[in-house]
Amino acid sequence: MTIGKARHRPARAILAAAIGLAIFAGSAHAQSAPSDNATINLVRLLVKRGVLTQSDADGLIAQANAEAAQAQKLAGTANAAPATPGQVRVTYVPEVVRNQIKDELRQEVVAQARTEHWAEPGKLPEWLDRISWSGDMRVRDEFHYYDKGNAYPVVDFARLNRTGPYDLNGTNPPPLLNTRENRTNSLRIRARLGVNVDLGENVTAGIRIASGDDNNPVSTTGTLGGGLAKKDIWLDQAWLAWKPTDWAKVVGGRMPNPFMSTDLVYSNDLNFDGIVGKFNVPVTEEIGAFANVGMFPIEYQADDFPSQQGIKSASRDKWMTGAQIGGTWRFSEDTQWKLALAYYRFDHMRGELSSPCQVYLGVNFCDTDATRSAFMQKGNSLFLIRDIVPDPNSPSNYAQPQFVGLVHDYHVADVNTQLDTKVAGTPLRLEADYIRNMAYHRADAFRPSVGLNRLVNNFGAGDFSESSYKSGPVGWMVRATLGDAIPEAARDWNVSLAYKYLQPDATLDGLADADFHLGGTNAKGFVLTGSYGMSKYSWLSLRYFNAREVFGPPLSIDVFQLDMNARF
């Protein structure tokens, strides 16, 4: 019995202390000890289960009440002022007790999370922290307006090269451009989704997919309709980058435009295939210098060309090399000026006249077919590249299936500047861009391998004489944008006015803006735009392009676009 009592006294003492603490805590928070609280219910449950007798329970409760009253009395000596109605007295809880309570709560929450499977601390994949997503969408209503005095017919040489060759002596007409019939309410979309991955040690990767009607390089816009058929998705970007220092980076793959440029030279949707080194060196706090140098394959000749000939043609791969230097100068917090000088050299882009080609013997290729451009728009000077041998059995009427090639080389020098400032607190951006094709020589259009009889475009009205051939190597643009250049919040806005002048052979028409004059070079005119932010991630925009030809037959095209844009 003595041993049994020794065992029960500590338990009773602990239980009494617990009951007392609970009652005291209840009185401290509620100014009265409830008679039917959880602690009293616990004691009653112990009596019911036979752990305690009723007399022991009554004694415990009485002892606990006495100890709680004594503790409250001692606490009251520190602040003898009686509590007013609504006042709460809180007894000091030692830090070790608080820490123990926090640990117990944490363990309980973690155990519940594991049991209910709503969180697994430490179990999330580490790679999720290294991935970032981006994307944008655009819904567009587009209108094309053609002047009724435009020339007609006008050959669509870009389509002729894609679907040709075209037989000059055939009965079927060549593909022709629409030059007089308006096209309104063309609903179009653009959707792009990209992911960037941090690979560690300053190595990153990026992949982006985009919409588009075809694989042309200058537009990711797709046209709705088509019998409600599903729309195509293309690989728009795929690149790896390494940044060995804070001021240098190397990027390889299919990447965003690495140069400071405008849509006078490159379409805004254009991405580059190749490898580039980017350098950004701060000189002072206000002045910085940058440089970009890269090599970009435009088109590879097939290894087996011509596919039906045992001896293959020598490789004529088409490349672009680009170099740019520039600087930035921050005059103040609101004013910054940028200037860049670039040189873009396109190799093997010019078409070449073939060797005498005997198509009347059933040959379906000529040895310079690969010199035609894989993608064109319109504007560059062109000539017929096949030297077809007349059929001796019908020398006056024989098949002449032809492709066209570029007359000139393109080595483009570009001077580009941009000033960002504020006028009465409103952002203002001023831009200017000047380009010149340093490889342009008018005489190249009349070299023996071309000759007057092979030129097919950029003649003035009336005749096809040498004196009526019109082209040029110069292009320029000025633009002013008032307001936020890119709306980034609700009610952000901007308006922009630009003027473009682009002679036929100032740059490659295949890489130029696809909206102004509906693509290409040999165009001049105004561009008016405006944007208004609907939210942080969405905005409306209007664009009006008023453009006509620089040289040659009349071709006036107005384009109106209404866009709803979103980014995420």
Side-chain angles (χ1 to χ4, degrees):
M1 295 297 296
T2 303
I3 295 176
K5 290 181 180 180
R7 289 176 177 173
H8 281 86
R9 284 171 184 168
R12 290 175 53 135
I14 292 173
L15 185 58
I19 296 172
L21 181 59
I23 294 174
F24 172 69
S27 64
H29 285 279
Q31 296 301 308
S32 63
S35 60
D36 197 23
N37 59 21
T39 306
I40 300 301
N41 289 337
L42 174 62
V43 173
R44 290 173 179 170
L45 179 61
L46 295 175
V47 172
K48 186 177 180 180
R49 294 288 178 87
V51 177
L52 296 175
T53 64
Q54 185 61 52
S55 59
D56 286 341
D58 294 339
L60 284 173
I61 293 174
Q63 179 183 350
N65 283 329
E67 292 176 356
Q70 181 64 25
Q72 187 171 11
K73 181 178 179 180
L74 292 175
T77 59
N79 187 0
T84 60
Q87 183 178 5
V88 176
R89 297 188 184 277
V90 179
T91 304
Y92 171 74
V93 180
E95 182 176 1
V96 63
V97 177
R98 294 199 303 269
N99 290 338
Q100 183 178 358
I101 293 173
K102 287 191 294 185
D103 290 340
E104 292 174 353
L105 287 174
R106 185 182 299 110
Q107 293 173 9
E108 182 178 349
V109 170
V110 170
Q112 183 180 358
R114 288 173 176 169
T115 301
E116 298 178 2
H117 301 290
W118 50 265
E120 289 287 338
K123 296 295 184 180
L124 291 176
E126 177 271 339
W127 53 266
L128 287 177
D129 295 331
R130 299 185 284 109
I131 290 180
S132 61
W133 296 88
S134 64
D136 61 82
M137 291 183 60
R138 179 179 69 201
V139 178
R140 166 177 291 174
D141 194 4
E142 185 165 325
F143 303 76
H144 302 165
Y145 297 102
Y146 301 88
D147 192 282
K148 297 306 180 182
N150 284 346
Y152 178 87
V154 177
V155 176
D156 185 349
F157 291 107
R159 177 169 292 185
L160 184 151
N161 268 1
R162 291 197 304 270
T163 62
Y166 165 69
D167 188 355
L168 300 182
N169 287 337
T171 58
N172 294 324
L176 302 175
L177 290 170
N178 174 30
T179 61
R180 295 189 178 183
E181 295 300 324
N182 297 338
R183 294 291 183 262
T184 59
N185 286 118
S186 296
L187 291 178
R188 313 185 74 193
I189 59 169
R190 183 183 73 179
R192 302 183 296 192
L193 180 63
V195 57
N196 288 358
V197 184
D198 181 1
L199 302 176
E201 302 297 330
N202 297 317
V203 179
T204 54
I207 298 175
R208 188 172 76 177
I209 56 176
S211 58
D213 284 337
D214 52 44
N215 65 345
N216 82 76
V218 294
S219 177
T220 54
T221 301
T223 303
L224 297 178
L228 304 184
K230 294 185 287 293
K231 311 309 174 187
D232 292 329
I233 290 294
W234 305 87
L235 181 63
D236 194 40
Q237 293 180 7
W239 50 265
L240 288 169
W242 176 45
K243 192 173 184 181
T245 69
D246 291 338
W247 52 269
K249 181 166 68 172
V250 179
V251 186
R254 180 167 176 81
M255 70 195 76
N257 183 350
F259 300 103
M260 176 184 170
S261 64
T262 70
D263 55 14
L264 183 70
V265 184
Y266 301 124
S267 167
N268 290 329
D269 276 358
L270 181 68
N271 291 300
F272 284 69
D273 301 347
I275 185 168
V276 66
K278 299 177 66 66
F279 308 92
N280 198 332
V281 181
V283 179
T284 67
E285 290 187 359
E286 296 80 18
I287 299 175
F290 63 88
N292 304 298
V293 182
M295 298 177 59
F296 310 93
I298 302 295
E299 184 181 352
Y300 291 115
Q301 179 177 298
D303 288 345
D304 63 347
F305 179 80
S307 61
Q308 296 177 340
Q309 182 172 296
I311 299 176
K312 307 303 180 181
S313 295
S315 175
R316 290 189 81 258
D317 296 338
K318 301 172 183 179
W319 285 79
M320 169 195 154
T321 53
Q324 182 179 64
I325 59 172
T328 61
W329 187 357
R330 180 172 291 279
F331 296 93
S332 65
E333 183 178 351
D334 296 331
T335 304
Q336 179 177 271
W337 177 47
K338 292 182 179 180
L339 175 67
L341 308 176
Y343 187 73
Y344 309 115
R345 179 186 175 97
F346 297 90
D347 292 320
H348 295 159
M349 297 299 297
R350 186 169 75 173
E352 297 294 340
L353 184 64
S354 73
S355 303
C357 191
Q358 298 173 322
V359 297
Y360 69 89
L361 295 178
V363 176
N364 62 1
F365 66 90
C366 297
D367 58 5
T368 62
D369 285 355
T371 67
R372 72 186 190 275
S373 295
F375 177 75
M376 301 188 308
Q377 296 190 82
K378 61 181 185 294
N380 289 161
S381 297
L382 303 169
F383 76 104
L384 304 173
I385 62 174
R386 283 181 164 184
D387 183 10
I388 297 177
V389 177
D391 183 353
N393 296 319
S394 182
S396 61
N397 185 16
Y398 58 95
Q400 293 195 58
Q402 281 286 359
F403 288 116
V404 295
L406 300 176
V407 170
H408 299 284
D409 284 321
Y410 294 89
H411 303 163
V412 181
D414 183 9
V415 182
N416 183 15
T417 186
Q418 176 181 302
L419 176 67
D420 287 292
T421 186
K422 286 188 176 181
V423 176
T426 302
L428 174 65
R429 172 172 291 181
L430 302 175
E431 298 173 86
D433 197 2
Y434 176 86
I435 62 173
R436 184 180 183 89
N437 178 10
M438 307 302 292
Y440 174 84
H441 302 285
R442 189 176 188 276
D444 286 345
F446 307 101
R447 64 187 185 269
S449 61
V450 177
L452 182 62
N453 64 328
R454 291 188 172 275
L455 287 171
V456 294
N457 66 339
N458 292 335
F459 287 96
D463 61 62
F464 290 88
S465 65
E466 182 174 341
S467 61
S468 70
Y469 170 72
K470 303 293 184 182
S471 186
V474 172
W476 55 271
M477 182 197 73
V478 291
R479 177 161 51 208
T481 304
L482 182 65
D484 299 284
I486 301 176
E488 295 182 344
R491 293 179 292 281
D492 278 0
W493 59 271
N494 67 56
V495 291
S496 173
L497 178 63
Y499 184 83
K500 285 185 179 183
Y501 179 87
L502 196 56
Q503 291 181 341
D505 292 298
T507 187
L508 282 174
D509 66 29
L511 304 183
D513 183 12
D515 295 322
F516 185 70
H517 207 232
L518 290 183
T521 60
N522 193 20
K524 61 181 179 181
F526 293 92
V527 182
L528 178 64
T529 67
S531 299
Y532 181 78
M534 298 185 296
S535 72
K536 182 177 180 180
Y537 303 106
S538 61
W539 69 100
L540 296 172
S541 60
L542 292 170
R543 291 184 178 87
Y544 174 65
F545 303 85
N546 174 270
R548 55 173 299 176
E549 80 291 341
V550 176
F551 300 125
L555 184 60
S556 177
I557 305 174
D558 293 350
V559 177
F560 177 79
Q561 298 170 341
L562 171 62
D563 296 344
M564 182 175 180
N565 308 273
R567 60 174 174 264
F568 45 87

